[in-house]
Each structure stands twice: as structure tokens, then as C-alpha cells.
Amino acid sequence: MGALDRKLLRDLLGMWTQAIAISLVVAAGVATLILAVGAYRSLDETRAAYYERHRFAHVFATATRAPRGLMERILELPGVSSAEGRITKNALLDIKGFEKPATGLVISLPAKGVPVLNRLYVRAGRLPQPDETTAVAVNEDFAGAHGFHVGSRFQALLGGRKRTLTIVGIALSPEFIYSVGPGDFVPDDSRFGILWMGKKAVEASYDLENAFNSVSLLLRRDASEDEVIRRLDLLLERYGGRGAYGRDDQFSHAFLDGELTQLSAMARVLPPIFMVVTAFLINMILTRLIALEREQIGLLKALGYWPLTIALHYVKLVMVIAVIGVAIGFGLGTWLGDLLTRLYGTFFHFPFLVFQRSIDVYVISAAVALASAAVGAARAVWSAMKLPPAVAMQPPAPTVYRRLWAGGAILLRHVSQLTIMVFRHLVRWPWRAVTTTIGISLSVAVLITSLFAVGSINFMLDFTFFQSDRQDASITFANESPLRVVQDVERLPGVMVVEPFRSVSTKMRWAHNERRVSIVGRPAGTDLRSLSNVPVQAEQRRGGTDLSQLINAKMEPVTLPETGLVITEKLAQLLGVRRGDLVEVEFLESSRRTVGVPVTEIFQSFFGLAAFMNINALNDLLDEGRVVSGVHIAIDERFEPVLYDLIKNTPALTAIALQKVSLVKFRETMAQNITFMTGVYSVLGIIIAFGVAYNSARIQLSERARELASLRVLGFTRGEVARILNIELAVVTLAAIPIGWVLGAGFAWTMIQSFESELYRVPFIIERATYAQSALIVIGAVVLSALIVRRRVNRLDLIEVLKTRE
Amino acid sequence: MIEAEAREEVFKAEGLTKVYRTGDVEVHALRGVDLTLYAGELSVFLGPSGSGKSTLLNILGGLDGASAGRVEFHGQKLTDFDERSLTLYRREHVGFVFQFYNLISSLTARENVSLVTEIAKDPMPPEYALELVGLKERMNHFPAQLSGGEQQRVAIARAIAKRPEVLLCDEPTGALDSKIGIIVLEALTSVNEELGTTTAIITHNVAIREIAHRVFYFADGRIASSNVNATRVAPHEVTW
């Protein structure tokens, strides 16, 4: 080993704490890239494998009732490689020991018993035989939520009759990787389950012998999805077809896509920040190191070493630090990626997980990290190369300070000399102060970018459950029912307020644009409110007494006009319509009419595609009289058990959503996910803050050791001397925090733009707590680094300093 | 010459020993030194490098501890002081002057002196201290704007501004030429005479011994001999 290499190792050992701090920043950058890309690819690969192995369909459609013979014509459609018809219906469930009514989606299995498309992964037991009438396979998470196993029983209202079903199998389906019950906003596996049953039992229950009401298609590679959808719609039109749609609009697939988009955004935004900080830290530390070693550099040159050799020596130093960081980052990123993938596995119902570890991610992250380190080192190394030997071996010219302004002398009298020292140092080396400030502000920014989502999600939940949809439950009827049913519901025990709604599937067209969207009819005012005298549960409702109201993104209520459509901004954007435009509305159910309806209002909403009308106006368009699809209700808690019991035994009802209950469950599930991500990102933010603050303080200590030791000799205590470093750190940190807030808000906004999908738009909300949290975490990291440096201050060699020249 | 009857002991060292250990290597810097310094006395410590002069000065100044023996400062056992007590001792009683001045580069001359007066119990105004060393007109200059001699005089002003009982100077003229060195020595002697500060000066320069009340010769970690100067010479009469 050459002498220079030995020097390198000893230098590294001498600055090992600083080197580790920088390595950790490198590791954090590498780890976030591997984590995000790794988790993304794992999920993507898992999904692709799942879809492929279980023949997840490309196109889906529902109808009221289509004859089985139609399947042959569907199979003949150009581009269709496989098709399967089935019956799908909602049913209310009554589970022993579970007070609340649950909803099940009943899906018929084919005559052969095993689906051709959307094949099931059977985790336990078997699938029901075609002629078994009470056997059922349920989805795994529903079974898990109730502790079901093969042989367990529960009751279900199938086609108006209550039956006891026996579980013969527990399965998963690619259609329901993410499943949310009808009328619900968030998943709750205890109250929504998928039930696969034999063909005969389902046909008989719903009077759909030799018929189907749902079809799935698998397309050939070269097929045009749009063309297949168009032709399928034509075929199903006379059978009450409600508009076919592709995978992109399939709820589970769309939701998972959104999640993958977020991961991808994370991979784009966070790692570059770490790499920038790495470059900055390397630059800071190497510049100072070379300045301290200038005499040695001069000596080496005088002895005949090539400048390039000397430069390479310092580059090697930097590369060793970076390589250590890359190694740590590989391990950390891989482990965290696996952990995150597993965490996603609890959220999304996959039967297996594929852990994707592509070599290219590792290579790219290592290359970027090393390049960042090299960029950081470039300037300092260049200056070392250029330094003439004679100049290098002389002590540098003394630093010239200036008094800021003569008038300041009056002010300065009231300030201690130690404080004056701090501020003169800051003013004399402004670039150092600025770069340290930027470094620390980036750590604040990373924390804001990572933590803001909690606030946004809380806001969306609050918005949904406490502002716009404030009902305790939403009940869907088996069929459209006359308005008078509202009064029947009002009379149920515990029902305090009832609000009807009508939901109709439509295709909306404007010029060349078309979207499939449901129009929801709501009462314009409170004319259908409950006449009950029981006071509303005030803590659950704010403002007006309407249960379900339209609120725009500015939290203002949107009044439903007497006629005309009120649509979300996203829908308006996709159709290309403006207020006053007349859109063509093709009703895909009921009367199946096509009418022109004016757009009377466009409002900003967090939920992508939605359209609303006055319920009476909607009914008038459909020309079916006063009819409702379901009701929203407010419930008196005291009567819940009685009410639930009644609901479970009411044949006219097919689904019930208990929004508040779902919210509690959702928050629990979210909490786990959020805790993990918050923990990981907080650590990353701390690593940056600590890396920057610690290195800055250590370098200051090295440069000013003589000065600080002199102060100790003069009688200043350790604390007073440490204060000089601490005040400077404090000034820089306090300046960095608001800058970091702004930067973090900018990064967060950038990430939010990539989250937007047709399903939802994440609001850009950064809670005050997030700002406070980020500031506190960074301050904590800076304080920690100050305390560690303080130990070195305490160990300053006072005697050595007396003998050394400046 | 300080009269025997008026002698108040400021420092009393008995059997003072200091051993430095670096791995297996032991360096015996002091080997049982006995020494008494009196109030108002100006002493010069002479001897070659490694003879123990600086080590003794460091122990007297509370910068270092002894391996064995004792040192008393006005009857208080310095060798028993903890770190905090030593800091207070230096703060309140000791002024230091170093070979390379050790001024704070980001503070002006006056501010360097204020640095010490701010933490002293009964300091003199910084301007007065600078006036004593003849630098009143330069008090708003930074160290980089001062010559070596001026910087050393600022260091002396800083050392005396707190009105210390003791002034310890380690090679105060070591980085200066003779002309400037004499100016510095004049400042030291005038401080010693006017303020009555017990002063100890380490030097390699044998000529400087003539300004002292007593001279101690160090060799091999011991005080080989000591002299009392019957007559002292003014700094401007010293040549080297």
C-alpha cells in the first residue's frame, strides 16, 4: 500500500464520524430510489403475474338481463379471445356475532365450476359445485375479518329470501385486489365480501335462468379495446347494458394504478434531493479539508508528486465515503422495499407477492450517488491541483474582517464579543452560511414532502365524512322504488333523518368526447327531511341539516339548481364542456333515453368524475315518476341493534354502507401504513439535517480550534466556547426552516400533480402540524449534532494551541 | 528587588512532577520541582527546549495538571482543582501572553480586550488597557491590520485588562525582532511595576534575564539553579 493510500485510510479514520454522516446521506438517496422503484416494480410485477396467471379480463360490462345465447355473438366480436357471462348481485348479509349488516357481492360460477376468466386463487377448501345451492366461497379478507374458515356459516338475503350459506372455500380474485362496498368510500373487509356461488343457486335466487347480467372479455393483443367496447355496447343495449369499460376504469385496477403512480412520483422527487445534498456535503467537507492540508499539498508537490496524483488521492477519499454509503443504501433500500411491498400486501389483496430486484436500479442508484460525490469534489480537487507548491507551503493570508458600519458600534456595545464573533464569521463567509442553510432547508423539505400526505388524507376524510357525506348509512334498494318508500324507512326504529337519492348510469357526450358516469339525483333542499323529533347528533353534522350535500374544494356548499347538470371540473375537462353547454346524456338503464341536458354548474371536487341533478328533474328526464335508488339515513345510536336486525331481514334491500364505521376501520389500516412511511421519511430527514449540521459544526471546529482553545485558556468555560458554534448553527437552522417549508411545499405540490387520476384528486393540504413536525425533527437533529460536537469542544487541547501559529 | 519582609507567596510548588505518556513512551517533563513566586515579582524562566519551563507555566496557569507533587496559589491547592474550578481560576486570576499572540481575528483590538473584560469581576476599561500598552490609536483595527509587535501588545492589554494577580508569558518575544521585542518587554515591565502583577516570562533569549527580579534556569525537568538580580536593567538597555 502506497504512502498516500495509507494517509487516505488514516485521514478517513480521523474523520470517521463525518464520513459516516455523509455516507448515510448517500445511503438515504440510494435507499429511497431502490425502495420506491423496488416496491413499484414488485407491485407491478405481482399485479402483472396475477393478472396473467388468473386471466384477468380486459373489458367488463353489466346489463339488466341478457340471454345466455348472446355469449356466442360476444365471442365472435373481432378482437375477443375469450368471454364469460355470469350473474352478479348485491346481497345483505347477516353474520352471527356481528351486529352490523354487511353487504356481499354474489358472483355466479360457470357451469363447469371453474371460471375461464378472472380465475380464482383458492387459498383453502374448494369452489362450490354448479348444483350446490348453499355452498359458497368467500374472499380471503372477508373470511379473515370474521374468523371464517371452511365450514363456517352465515346468512344472506338472496333474491328476497334469507338463506344460510356454508363456506366451502376461501379465495382471491384479480378483480378485487382493492375492494370497496357499494356506497362506501373506503374498504372495510368486515362489511363487504365477495361470495362465489354455484350457477344454479344464483340463477334461481334472482330469476335469471339461462341469463347473465355481467360479462368479462379477454382481448387479443392486437385488438382495439374501444372498438370492442363499442360493439359490445351495441349488443347489450336492448338487454339493459350499462356501458362497457376497460381495465383502466375497473375500480380495483384503477386504484392500484393510482398507488403505483404515487410510488413512481416518490422515486422521482426524493432521491434527487439526497443526491444534491450529497454533492453539497462533499464539496463542503473537501474544500475545508484541502484548505487545512494546503501545506501538505504544497509539500507533496515540492517532493515531486504530480498534481493529478494528488487530485486522485482526494477523489479516492470521496469515493470511499460514497461507496460505503452505496453499500449501506443497497442493504437498506432492499430491506425497506421488501417491507413496503409486504405492507402493500396487507392493503391490496394479492395471493402472492413477487419481489422484484432488478440489477439496473442498483447500478443506476450507485452511479448517480458516485457521480454526485464526484461533482461535489470537483471544484475542491481542482483548486488543490492548481495550487503552486511555494504558495501552498506558506500560511494563508490572514482573513480580513470588517466592521459592518460605524454606527453599529453603539448597538454592538450591548452585544457580547462572542456573539460579535459569530456574526462577523457569518458575514465574512456568506457562501458557507448559505450552503449550510440550503442543506438544512432541504432536510425540512424532505420531511414536508414525506409527511404532508397525512394531512391531505385527513382532510379528504374529514371532507367526505363530516362535510359532504354526513350520513351514518346509505341503503341501496334491490330495484328502483317509489318515493313513498322514504316514509317507510322513516318509520324504522332509530332512523332520524332520511334523504333519498337516485343513481343512474349514463354516457355523457360532448363533441367527440364521451365518458361513462353515473348521475346522482339529490333533493335540492330539505323538503324530504325527516319529521322525527329526535335531535340530530350534532357532533356528526356541521352547518345545515342535509345529510349529503355538494361541497366544492373551497368548502363552499354547491346549490343544486332546479334543472340542469352540476358536474365536477375533471369531468368538464374530459368532456371539454363549459357552463351552459348542452351535453348529450344517454341513459344506460331505465328508459334508456338520450336527452340533451345543460351544464348549469361546474365545481372543483376531490372526487374525479361525478354528475349531480335535482332528483325530481332527473326523474322527469327518465319519465318514470318519483323514484329512488336508495336513501341516506342518520341513525340514533341507541336503536342501532334493532335497526340493523330489521335491515338484515328486509328483502327489498341489497346493500348498506355504514360510512362512519368504515372510516374507523380505514383509519386503523391507514395508521399502520402511515406510521411506517412517516417513520422511514423522518429518519431520512434526520439523516440529512444531521449530516449537514454535524459536518458544518465539525469543520468549523477544525478551522477555529485554535481560536476556541485560546478562549478556553482566557477563562471561558466549555459552554461559553461551545456557544459560538451553537449560535452559528442556530442562526443557520432558523433561517433554513422557513426556506425548507417553502421548498417542501413546492416539492409536495409537484408530487400531488402526479397523483391526480380520474378517481380522485389529492388536495394540496399541508397541516400546520406538518410544518411544526418537520421543524422540530430538524431542530432535534441539529441539537444532537451540536451535542456531539460539544464533546470535542470539551476535549480541545489547550496546551497545543499555545505553541501553534495561526 | 522585593524586600524579604514584604514577600507574600503567590505560588508555592513542592515536588512538582509531570510525566506524559504516549503509548509505551514516557516523557518526564518535570522531575520534582520546588518553586515559590512572590507577589509583584517578575521572574524569567530560562532553559533549552524540553527542559520543563512551559510545562511548569502551564501547571501554574491551570492549563495542565501535575502527575505528583503540589502547587498552591495563595494557599489553595491548585492540583486539587477540578476542570470548572481551573477555568474560574484562569478567568479571575491569570493573564496569559503567548508566543503567537492568539488574538481573535474577527475582533478588533478593543473587542479582543473586551472579550476578557466582559467576563471579569473588576476589569479596567479596554481603552485604558490599550492605552497602557501604547495602542490607543489602533484600537479599532483588526489583528490582520496590526504588526506583530502591535498584536503582541494587544495580547498584553487583553491579559492585564482583568487586573490579574498573575501574568504568565510564554515566549512573548519569540516571534518578534529585537526592536519590537523590546517594546513588548517594556509593556510587560511597566505592567508589572504599575499594577504589581506577579509576572513569569519564559524565554530562550538569555539577554532578557536582566529585566527580571529572579531568574530560574531549567534543565532536564528540574530547576538547575536560580539567581536574584541585584540590579535590574530596563528593557531598552537589553540587546540581542
Side-chain angles (χ1 to χ4, degrees):
Chain A
M1 189 188 279
L4 273 185
D5 287 337
R6 246 177 254 144
K7 174 185 177 298
L8 187 150
L9 276 174
R10 285 186 197 137
D11 283 348
L12 266 173
L13 279 170
M15 50 183 274
W16 73 271
T17 50
Q18 288 173 266
I20 290 289
I22 298 174
S23 296
L24 286 177
V25 176
V26 174
V30 167
T32 44
L33 193 60
I34 293 174
L35 151 75
V37 174
Y40 177 96
R41 288 186 182 178
S42 294
L43 274 179
D44 197 39
E45 195 57 37
T46 300
R47 180 175 72 167
Y50 192 19
Y51 284 0
E52 218 244 326
R53 289 181 212 177
H54 292 267
R55 291 168 65 83
F56 181 51
H58 292 113
V59 173
F60 306 83
T62 53
T64 307
R65 182 200 173 99
R68 195 137 288 278
L70 192 65
M71 287 305 301
E72 283 175 26
R73 291 180 64 187
I74 292 174
L75 271 163
E76 284 164 7
L77 287 175
V80 172
S81 107
S82 191
E84 191 163 50
R86 61 192 181 176
I87 298 166
T88 61
K89 285 283 188 186
N90 286 326
L92 278 176
L93 308 179
D94 184 358
I95 299 165
K96 194 173 170 192
F98 189 67
E99 184 189 82
K100 300 175 181 56
T103 304
L105 177 65
V106 177
I107 300 179
S108 67
L109 292 166
K112 289 192 296 296
V114 177
V116 170
L117 298 180
N118 307 318
R119 281 193 187 155
L120 303 181
Y121 179 94
V122 180
R123 186 76 87 183
R126 60 173 175 86
L127 292 179
Q129 297 297 320
D131 51 359
E132 281 182 298
T133 52
T134 58
V136 67
V138 299
N139 60 313
E140 187 178 46
D141 287 274
F142 176 69
H146 291 286
F148 285 157
H149 49 83
V150 172
S152 298
R153 291 177 177 202
F154 60 94
Q155 291 184 309
L157 263 179
L158 301 175
R161 280 182 58 200
K162 202 162 197 182
R163 291 172 186 242
T164 302
L165 303 177
T166 306
I167 295 176
V168 299
I170 293 173
L172 294 106
S173 163
E175 273 186 281
F176 303 104
I177 294 173
Y178 187 75
S179 53
V180 171
D184 233 330
F185 297 101
V186 293
D188 183 353
D189 293 319
S190 65
R191 292 187 318 96
F192 178 66
I194 319 294
L195 318 180
W196 290 278
M197 291 185 70
K199 183 167 170 292
K200 280 196 183 144
V202 180
E203 281 179 342
S205 297
Y206 293 100
D207 195 25
L208 285 169
E209 281 85 353
N210 291 316
F212 65 91
N213 71 351
S214 167
V215 64
S216 306
L217 308 184
L218 199 67
L219 304 184
R220 280 194 254 278
R221 270 188 219 284
D222 56 351
S224 159
E225 186 181 283
D226 289 339
E227 184 58 22
V228 170
I229 286 173
R230 190 187 68 79
R231 288 175 190 252
L232 183 61
D233 280 345
L234 280 171
L235 280 179
L236 291 173
E237 196 179 338
R238 56 193 287 231
Y239 303 108
R242 294 199 186 94
Y245 54 93
R247 265 190 197 176
D248 287 347
D249 290 322
Q250 200 266 349
F251 184 78
S252 164
H253 176 91
F255 207 88
L256 188 49
D257 248 1
E259 202 61 37
L260 288 169
T261 305
Q262 289 184 36
L263 273 176
S264 160
M266 186 174 112
R268 277 200 307 276
V269 173
L270 285 179
I273 298 176
F274 286 103
M275 296 311 168
V276 164
V277 174
T278 296
F280 151 73
L281 277 177
I282 298 271
N283 176 262
M284 182 168 79
I285 198 173
L286 201 60
T287 305
R288 277 18 197 278
L289 183 69
I290 285 173
L292 285 170
E293 293 193 350
R294 57 183 273 142
E295 283 187 36
Q296 292 180 36
I297 293 169
L299 178 65
L300 287 170
K301 286 186 177 180
L303 290 174
Y305 277 87
W306 299 112
L308 189 61
T309 311
I310 297 168
L312 278 174
H313 165 70
Y314 288 104
V315 169
K316 262 193 240 175
L317 178 81
V318 158
M319 286 299 128
V320 168
I321 295 174
V323 163
I324 293 171
V326 165
I328 298 172
F330 278 177
L332 198 62
T334 307
W335 177 66
L336 286 172
D338 286 355
L339 214 59
L340 183 63
T341 307
R342 271 180 227 282
L343 200 65
Y344 273 121
T346 63
F347 219 64
F348 296 108
H349 313 320
F350 289 109
F352 51 81
L353 284 172
V354 172
F355 293 101
Q356 189 72 352
R357 283 190 203 115
S358 324
I359 195 87
D360 63 320
V361 181
Y362 290 87
V363 168
I364 290 170
S365 60
V368 170
L370 295 174
S372 304
V375 162
R379 219 174 115 233
V381 165
W382 179 251
S383 70
M385 278 179 69
K386 300 300 285 176
L387 209 53
V391 170
M393 284 198 287
Q394 285 167 14
T399 309
V400 176
Y401 287 88
R402 284 187 183 81
R403 297 167 77 205
L404 278 176
W405 67 96
I410 296 162
L411 279 171
L412 291 178
R413 275 184 222 281
H414 303 284
V415 172
S416 78
Q417 300 309 315
L418 294 186
T419 310
I420 293 175
M421 279 174 73
V422 170
F423 283 99
R424 288 233 178 95
H425 196 255
L426 281 169
V427 169
R428 178 60 185 83
W429 305 103
W431 182 242
R432 287 183 192 176
V434 164
T435 49
T436 308
T437 303
I438 291 172
I440 295 178
S441 69
L442 283 175
S443 74
V444 175
V446 161
L447 285 166
I448 300 263
T449 313
S450 323
L451 301 174
F452 85 97
V454 177
S456 291
I457 290 167
N458 280 337
F459 179 83
M460 272 183 88
L461 292 175
D462 179 66
F463 178 90
T464 306
F465 292 97
F466 298 104
Q467 304 273 1
S468 78
D469 286 90
R470 304 176 294 181
Q471 63 273 20
D472 295 319
S474 298
I475 301 174
T476 310
F477 302 133
N479 301 299
E480 265 58 33
S481 304
L483 186 59
R484 62 172 184 275
V485 77
V486 170
Q487 287 156 14
D488 295 338
V489 174
E490 273 184 355
R491 282 193 279 271
L492 292 175
V495 172
M496 298 192 298
V497 183
V498 183
E499 214 170 78
F501 66 88
R502 177 88 200 267
S503 179
V504 187
S505 300
T506 74
K507 271 189 191 166
M508 257 185 226
R509 287 184 204 96
W510 168 255
H512 303 293
N513 301 317
E514 181 184 283
R515 296 309 283 187
R516 213 173 131 265
V517 67
S518 291
I519 297 179
V520 176
R522 298 178 177 206
T526 58
D527 41 33
L528 293 170
R529 258 196 342 112
S530 166
L531 305 173
S532 167
N533 287 328
V534 177
V536 296
Q537 287 163 18
E539 72 274 7
Q540 288 190 316
R541 275 180 284 288
R542 293 176 219 163
T545 51
D546 291 336
L547 286 180
S548 176
Q549 53 180 345
L550 293 187
I551 308 269
N552 66 16
K554 292 178 196 163
M555 310 295 278
E556 297 154 348
V558 178
T559 314
L560 269 181
E562 290 295 322
T563 57
L565 277 170
V566 176
I567 65 174
T568 56
E569 198 177 51
K570 185 74 183 175
L571 180 57
Q573 195 187 3
L574 288 170
L575 289 174
V577 297
R578 289 184 296 191
R579 226 161 135 194
D581 287 340
L582 200 71
V583 293
E584 185 183 276
V585 176
E586 181 193 341
F587 291 106
L588 299 175
E589 52 184 291
S590 300
S591 60
R592 300 196 73 88
R593 302 169 82 195
T594 300
V595 295
V597 187
V599 173
T600 28
E601 187 70 55
I602 296 171
F603 71 107
Q604 268 195 341
S605 170
F606 301 123
F607 297 98
L609 304 187
F612 303 92
M613 278 186 80
N614 179 305
I615 190 172
N616 293 336
L618 180 59
N619 278 328
D620 288 343
L621 283 179
L622 288 159
D623 200 23
E624 289 177 339
R626 295 286 183 260
V627 160
V628 302
S629 308
V631 291
H632 302 306
I633 58 175
I635 304 172
D636 184 340
E637 280 170 359
R638 297 172 295 174
F639 293 93
E640 268 180 5
V642 172
L643 178 64
Y644 291 153
D645 207 46
L646 262 169
I647 287 172
K648 286 180 204 178
N649 291 291
T650 306
L653 309 179
T654 59
I656 179 164
L658 299 175
Q659 281 88 355
K660 297 290 188 299
V661 173
S662 301
L663 174 63
V664 169
K665 276 299 294 284
F666 185 66
R667 280 203 206 272
E668 281 169 12
T669 317
M670 282 278 302
Q672 207 189 18
N673 203 355
I674 285 172
T675 305
F676 173 78
M677 297 310 290
T678 306
V680 167
Y681 289 126
S682 297
V683 168
L684 296 178
I686 288 169
I687 285 174
I688 295 184
F690 183 81
V692 172
Y694 179 70
N695 274 288
S696 179
R698 273 298 305 275
I699 286 164
Q700 271 231 65
L701 181 60
S702 307
E703 289 175 336
R704 302 174 80 178
R706 192 170 175 277
E707 212 171 69
L708 299 177
S710 300
L711 290 174
R712 290 280 289 119
V713 169
L714 291 173
F716 285 88
T717 62
R718 290 165 172 171
E720 285 166 333
V721 166
R723 220 174 72 202
I724 293 173
L725 298 179
N726 292 345
I727 292 178
E728 194 160 324
L729 258 184
V731 167
V732 159
T733 304
L734 289 174
I737 288 172
I739 296 171
W741 285 342
V742 171
L743 281 175
F747 292 145
W749 189 85
T750 308
M751 278 180 79
I752 282 249
Q753 301 315 301
S754 53
F755 289 173
E756 195 171 313
S757 69
E758 285 187 13
L759 278 182
Y760 59 85
R761 173 168 78 89
V762 178
F764 181 59
I765 305 280
I766 303 181
E767 292 180 327
R768 268 185 245 179
T770 305
Y771 287 116
Q773 213 177 345
S774 62
L776 284 172
I777 291 173
V778 165
I779 289 171
V782 170
V783 166
L784 179 66
S785 61
L787 287 172
I788 295 175
V789 172
R790 166 72 192 258
R791 290 180 63 210
R792 288 188 178 261
V793 170
N794 292 350
R795 295 201 304 258
L796 281 171
D797 189 337
L798 307 188
I799 297 167
E800 179 63 31
V801 83
L802 306 182
K803 293 293 185 188
T804 54
R805 176 195 284 274
E806 171 95 23
Chain B
M1 166 94 173
I2 308 238
E3 295 298 330
E5 297 75 21
R7 280 184 177 200
E8 181 196 348
E9 284 179 4
V10 174
F11 285 114
K12 189 176 174 68
E14 287 174 352
L16 205 57
T17 305
K18 179 70 185 182
V19 181
Y20 292 104
R21 286 183 182 84
T22 325
D24 292 334
V25 176
E26 278 188 357
V27 175
H28 292 257
L30 290 177
R31 295 172 193 266
V33 167
D34 298 323
L35 172 76
T36 306
L37 295 178
Y38 300 96
E41 185 176 40
L42 193 153
S43 314
V44 165
F45 295 176
L46 277 175
S49 290
S51 57
K53 321 183 290 295
S54 295
T55 306
L56 175 63
L57 202 81
N58 292 339
I59 294 174
L60 293 180
L63 291 176
D64 201 358
S67 304
R70 56 194 280 153
V71 169
E72 286 179 4
F73 172 73
H74 285 300
Q76 287 182 84
K77 216 168 147 198
L78 263 188
T79 34
D80 283 350
F81 280 17
D82 63 11
E83 193 278 328
R84 189 162 175 81
S85 305
L86 285 173
T87 303
L88 277 173
Y89 161 68
R90 289 197 302 277
R91 195 172 178 124
E92 289 168 11
H93 301 289
V94 184
F96 281 99
V97 178
F98 312 114
Q99 182 176 0
F100 294 110
Y101 335 129
N102 288 64
L103 296 178
I104 305 298
S105 55
S106 57
L107 297 176
T108 61
R110 175 175 24 206
E111 288 162 353
N112 264 282
V113 179
S114 299
L115 194 60
V116 154
T117 59
E118 272 173 7
I119 58 170
K121 276 186 185 165
D122 178 29
M124 64 180 74
E127 298 78 10
Y128 180 60
L130 287 164
E131 197 178 333
L132 277 180
V133 297
L135 284 177
K136 196 175 171 193
E137 276 72 38
R138 305 281 280 163
M139 63 174 73
N140 291 322
H141 287 78
F142 287 94
Q145 297 165 319
L146 301 171
S147 69
E150 286 170 336
Q151 288 187 60
Q152 191 61 295
R153 282 189 280 157
V154 171
I156 294 170
R158 183 180 65 181
I160 63 165
K162 67 168 95 164
R163 298 186 213 271
E165 273 198 64
V166 173
L167 192 61
L168 304 178
C169 311
D170 195 340
E171 303 274 8
T173 61
L176 307 168
D177 63 35
S178 61
K179 191 167 155 221
I180 308 299
I182 284 166
I183 297 171
V184 167
L185 289 176
E186 279 181 340
L188 287 173
T189 50
S190 92
V191 161
N192 168 252
E193 279 160 18
E194 288 176 36
L195 303 182
T197 313
T198 305
T199 308
I201 301 174
I202 289 177
T203 183
H204 283 112
N205 191 339
V206 178
I208 291 175
R209 75 188 194 282
E210 296 173 23
I211 69 171
H213 292 102
R214 276 199 294 168
V215 182
F216 296 90
Y217 296 90
F218 283 77
D220 202 26
R222 292 189 175 85
I223 296 178
S225 62
S226 64
N227 267 356
V228 173
N229 278 343
T231 51
R232 295 166 64 209
V233 168
H236 65 263
E237 291 168 9
V238 175
T239 50
W240 68 86

